[in-house]
Amino acid sequence: MTLHGRDVVLVDAARSPFGRARADGLYAHTRADDLAVAVVRDLLRRNAELPPERLGEVAFAATTQSGDQGLTLGRTVGLLAGLPQHVPGYAIDRMCAGAMTAVTQVAASIAVGAIDAALAGGVEHMGRHPLGGDADPNPRFMTERLVSSDALVMGATAENLHDRYPELTRERADAYGAASQAKYAQALADGHIGADLVPIGIPDPERGWGLATADEPPRPGTTVAAMADLRTPFRPGGRVTAATSSPLTDGATGAVLMAADTAAELGLAPRMRMVSYAYAGVAPEVMGVGPVPATHRALELAGLSIEDIGLFEINEAFAVQVLAFLDAFGIDDDDPRVNPYGGAIAVGHPLAASGVRLMAQLARAFETRPEVRYGITTMCVGLGQGGTVIWENPHHTEESR
């Protein structure tokens, strides 16, 4: 099965190192749009066979589209990166699934033949733009009880999942959080992380210029025992802690998408082929279950079952959200197919940028696992949504099974 129209492939994906969103964080003095520009420029350098004038679109996402994340990011990032002026661009907001939506939107345009190639990605500088920091929610949400009063607090929605599904215990969440840190540390040591990172020049008014080459959020050596006394910031006596949540993060991601025949014409080797994608809505107060219906729909569109999926990249907004997905599909907590290189609990979750990080990690895993034919990237989305993309491994051979 495939998307209607032309085959769409991901040729490359890259990201900045992720930094902690705080006053002394990696990118405290770096603009969000400059992070995105650095990623775009490096993608063009890495894929020199792609003439920039062949790009038909630049789609860039941010959850907070103001200040240095405003002014139609896709267009401004393209111009700042030196793309030809005739290459258009636009901005996207689907909160956490922004970059994922940027990818699927340009893929749809490629599939129907409107364009041949595109750049898609996302950026979030949460140090400058906290989630919902300048939002003005319509009072009808509360007065007419359109959503639960805690639907806009992501950590509270994670606590709600613990309430709704008693089998999702704190003990399981703690074990999952520690495992994410350990898997990321092992992947870093094995060389599976650094190849996708774009070095970023970072200014500091006191120390001058530096170079960001590694992720800042990971806490290697984290143990379940060390989590026991952590406070539960979203509810007194709750179950969600900093160790089972993705840290507030700054970072940018980008991907090169094109028609399979265009990639062949240019001599660019696809890293993944898009099979299907789907988005779904759920009750906002339990937004963490959003990936479940989205995945069911994506599998239906692809004519596949969950048993056909050999690798899962699930965004770890919270450990409980991943566990809810695993339980829904009968997958063990420690299944080696799930986030083999760790996830957002370790590396961070710069909201709209994270979807492409999932894709970069899946593409990296595909290269080492030719026996796997299909993989999934999936994530929950604030205000009660989920998004899933199913990908095919171009390195797959029947002989490797």
Side-chain angles (χ1 to χ4, degrees):
M1 300 288 291
T2 186
L3 295 173
H4 293 297
R6 298 188 297 176
D7 277 353
V8 179
V9 297
L10 182 145
V11 167
D12 203 1
R15 66 178 178 87
S16 71
F18 288 172
R20 288 192 171 273
R22 58 192 190 192
D24 60 348
L26 203 58
Y27 301 122
H29 306 287
T30 302
R31 290 179 58 98
D33 48 12
D34 283 338
L35 283 175
V37 167
V39 171
V40 167
R41 284 177 171 167
D42 202 67
L43 282 169
L44 294 172
R45 178 192 63 80
R46 289 162 47 149
N47 299 277
E49 299 90 342
L50 170 61
E53 60 269 17
R54 292 292 297 272
L55 291 167
E57 199 71 86
V58 180
F60 247 85
T63 300
T64 303
Q65 297 195 11
S66 63
D68 56 345
Q69 292 184 177
L71 201 61
T72 314
L73 270 173
R75 179 58 171 167
T76 55
V77 167
L79 291 173
L80 289 165
L83 295 180
Q85 291 188 350
H86 73 261
V87 178
Y90 61 101
I92 284 178
D93 173 17
R94 200 198 295 262
M95 296 187 77
C96 307
M100 177 178 281
T101 303
V103 166
T104 56
Q105 283 295 105
V106 300
S109 294
I110 293 168
V112 301
I115 59 176
D116 292 328
L119 290 168
V123 63
E124 209 76 53
H125 199 305
M126 299 184 74
R128 294 187 179 185
H129 307 284
L131 177 61
D134 62 354
D136 180 18
N138 193 299
R140 290 182 53 233
F141 280 121
M142 297 297 108
T143 59
E144 299 180 22
R145 300 185 179 180
L146 299 177
V147 299
S148 170
S149 60
D150 54 13
L152 301 179
V153 181
M154 298 302 104
T157 69
E159 290 283 8
N160 290 342
L161 281 182
H162 279 291
D163 292 343
R164 180 169 293 194
Y165 304 103
E167 64 274 17
L168 301 178
T169 62
R170 174 168 176 174
E171 290 73 23
R172 287 178 66 189
D174 284 357
Y176 186 90
S180 179
Q181 296 282 358
K183 287 190 288 186
Y184 174 86
Q186 188 62 55
L188 183 65
D190 292 342
H192 297 310
I193 303 297
D196 294 326
L197 299 186
V198 176
I200 305 290
I202 48 174
D204 186 294
E206 296 180 359
R207 292 172 288 184
W209 282 85
L211 192 66
T213 59
D215 295 313
E216 189 177 26
R219 295 184 179 277
T222 297
T223 65
V224 171
M227 300 177 186
D229 296 326
L230 292 177
R231 67 186 187 94
T232 57
F234 303 108
R235 180 190 299 176
R239 287 143 293 191
V240 179
T241 70
T244 56
S245 309
S246 55
L248 302 178
T249 314
D250 305 331
T253 62
V256 179
L257 286 296
M258 62 182 62
D261 54 4
T262 301
E265 172 198 342
L266 297 175
L268 288 163
R271 298 183 66 192
M272 301 195 293
R273 182 182 74 87
M274 186 178 291
V275 179
S276 70
Y277 65 87
Y279 299 92
V282 297
E285 63 269 22
V286 286
M287 65 96 188
V289 298
V292 176
T295 298
H296 279 299
R297 177 59 176 158
L299 288 168
E300 178 186 0
L301 290 171
L304 299 172
S305 70
I306 200 69
E307 288 75 24
D308 294 310
I309 306 303
L311 285 167
F312 297 83
E313 282 291 336
I314 308 172
N315 192 46
E316 297 170 355
F318 301 94
V320 67
Q321 163 255 314
V322 179
L323 296 173
F325 179 93
L326 298 181
D327 282 2
F329 288 101
I331 300 170
D332 292 339
D333 294 5
D334 58 354
D335 192 305
R337 298 174 297 167
V338 176
N339 293 3
Y341 300 153
I345 288 173
V347 76
H349 174 27
L351 299 181
S354 287
V356 167
R357 179 192 64 79
L358 300 175
M359 296 170 194
Q361 290 196 183
L362 180 61
R364 187 67 53 192
F366 270 169
E367 292 169 2
T368 66
R369 300 282 301 277
E371 75 279 8
V372 172
R373 183 172 183 182
Y374 297 109
I376 274 179
T377 54
T378 188
M379 61 200 314
C380 60
V381 186
L383 296 180
Q385 298 185 78
T388 297
V389 187
I390 299 178
W391 302 89
E392 185 175 27
N393 185 0
H395 310 286
H396 171 74
T397 61
E398 291 298 325
E399 294 75 15
S400 64
R401 299 187 65 180

